[in-house]
Structures are given as structure tokens and as C-alpha cells.
Amino acid sequence: AKHGVPSKGPLLLFVGGLSAPKGATVLEKALPKIFEKYPSATLLVVGVIQYRMALGKYQKNVVHCERVARDCIHEYYQAADIFLYPTVYNEAFPMNSSLEAFASGLPCIIGDVLGAREVITDQAILVALYDVDAIVTSVDTLIADKIKCRSLGEKARVLALNYSYPTVTDGILQFLERV
């Protein structure tokens, strides 16, 4: 059990501040359905919990790591099977944790907010905001279809390369030179 996470069953990962805008209330409704079907599944939350999900008997399926050293975060992404980020908040693009998951080649299920929709085409599964059943169905799909799971992870990795620090910095510098 590395990082306090059981080695059996699918490992779902959420990275960031677990709050209502980041999808905690949606996860609270989706997770019991997922854990009912996959009793050995675990959700690993890496970050500060700002919203305590009431999961009843499934609370045991959630493991929390509040603080993780920056140089160790990749270990959590590499250990996971699926990255969940059902944000309902229209942020510019859920960049940090989503891009880290993409860079790790992790298949992702992400809330279909404006910023994500502008960047993601077929590199992740975008779920409608507050759509609990879409999250459950997407998790089912990725657990059942290893080929789709691997394909999404590979496409996500390629997308993440477009957002590496050198690539983004070069783009900003080229833009500033033109202005």
C-alpha cells in the first residue's frame, strides 16, 4: 500500500483543493455509484479538502494526502488509473492538475467548462457540468476498455507537450516581440 493507498482495485485520482466549485458535490453523488460497482476502487485526494463529502459506508474508499512534495507528485499520477476533475467552475482551463495528469499519460475525466472545451478535443472525456451519470459511465468505460484508456492517455500526453514551460514561454516571447 504505497502512500497509504490499497494496491487492489482501480485507483481514481483527484488533485487540488477539493471544493464545491471543483466538483466535490458531484463526486459526492457519483462515488457511491462507482464504489457500489467497484468495491475495491479507491479515490485518492491529493490536496486540501475544503468540502467534506458524506459518503457513508464508502468513506473507507477515500484516501487523503494533504501535502505532497512538488518533486514527488508524479508518483501519485503514475500510480493512478483514472484522473477525475469534474469541476463546475468556468476557469480559464483547469491547467495545473489536468496538465500534470495529461503529462503522465493518465486518462482523464474533466468537467466541460469553457477553458477545457477550448483545448481538449479527444484527449480526455469531458462531462457535462453536474452530470453524475456521465461521470459514472465514463469511469465504467475507462475501466472496461483498456484500449480506449491507453489511447486517451497517449493523446493526453501529446497535448501536454504543447503546454510545456519552454513551449509556452517561447509563445509568449514571440507574441511580445510582435506587439
Side-chain angles (χ1 to χ4, degrees):
K2 190 172 184 180
H3 305 300
V5 178
S7 57
K8 61 182 184 0
L11 178 59
L12 312 175
L13 178 65
F14 179 96
V15 175
L18 186 63
S19 62
K22 299 293 174 119
T25 57
V26 181
L27 283 176
E28 183 175 43
K29 294 174 184 162
L31 289 171
K33 295 178 180 188
I34 294 167
F35 295 148
E36 181 71 31
K37 187 163 187 178
Y38 306 99
S40 62
T42 301
L43 172 68
L44 173 59
V45 177
V46 177
V48 176
I49 293 182
Q50 300 163 350
Y51 178 91
R52 291 251 175 241
M53 297 183 292
L55 297 175
K57 68 179 182 177
Y58 297 114
Q59 199 66 50
K60 66 182 180 357
N61 293 67
V62 177
V63 175
H64 177 232
C65 298
E66 186 167 337
R67 304 253 186 259
V68 174
R70 195 87 204 124
D71 59 348
C72 295
I73 190 71
H74 68 280
E75 294 176 16
Y76 293 84
Y77 288 104
Q78 290 170 349
D81 297 300
I82 299 169
F83 178 74
L84 288 176
Y85 196 76
T87 183
V88 297
Y89 178 68
N90 278 311
E91 46 195 315
F93 170 61
M95 290 298 264
N96 289 342
S97 59
S98 296
L99 281 176
E100 289 170 350
F102 289 175
S104 299
L106 193 55
C108 302
I109 300 169
I110 298 174
D112 189 6
V113 294
L114 294 175
R117 191 178 317 142
E118 302 303 319
V119 175
I120 299 167
T121 54
D122 63 347
Q123 302 90 346
I125 297 175
L126 293 176
V127 293
L129 307 187
Y130 300 101
D131 192 339
V132 171
D133 291 332
I135 293 169
V136 174
T137 300
S138 298
V139 169
D140 276 341
T141 298
L142 293 177
I143 289 174
D145 188 345
K146 298 298 179 199
I147 293 171
K148 180 174 179 82
C149 198
R150 190 175 318 110
S151 174
L152 274 178
E154 290 168 357
K155 290 176 183 178
R157 175 105 174 101
V158 170
L159 176 65
L161 295 176
N162 292 326
Y163 293 93
S164 68
Y165 285 116
T167 303
V168 171
T169 303
D170 288 347
I172 292 170
L173 289 174
Q174 289 173 11
F175 171 77
L176 291 174
E177 288 172 0
R178 289 193 308 265
V179 175

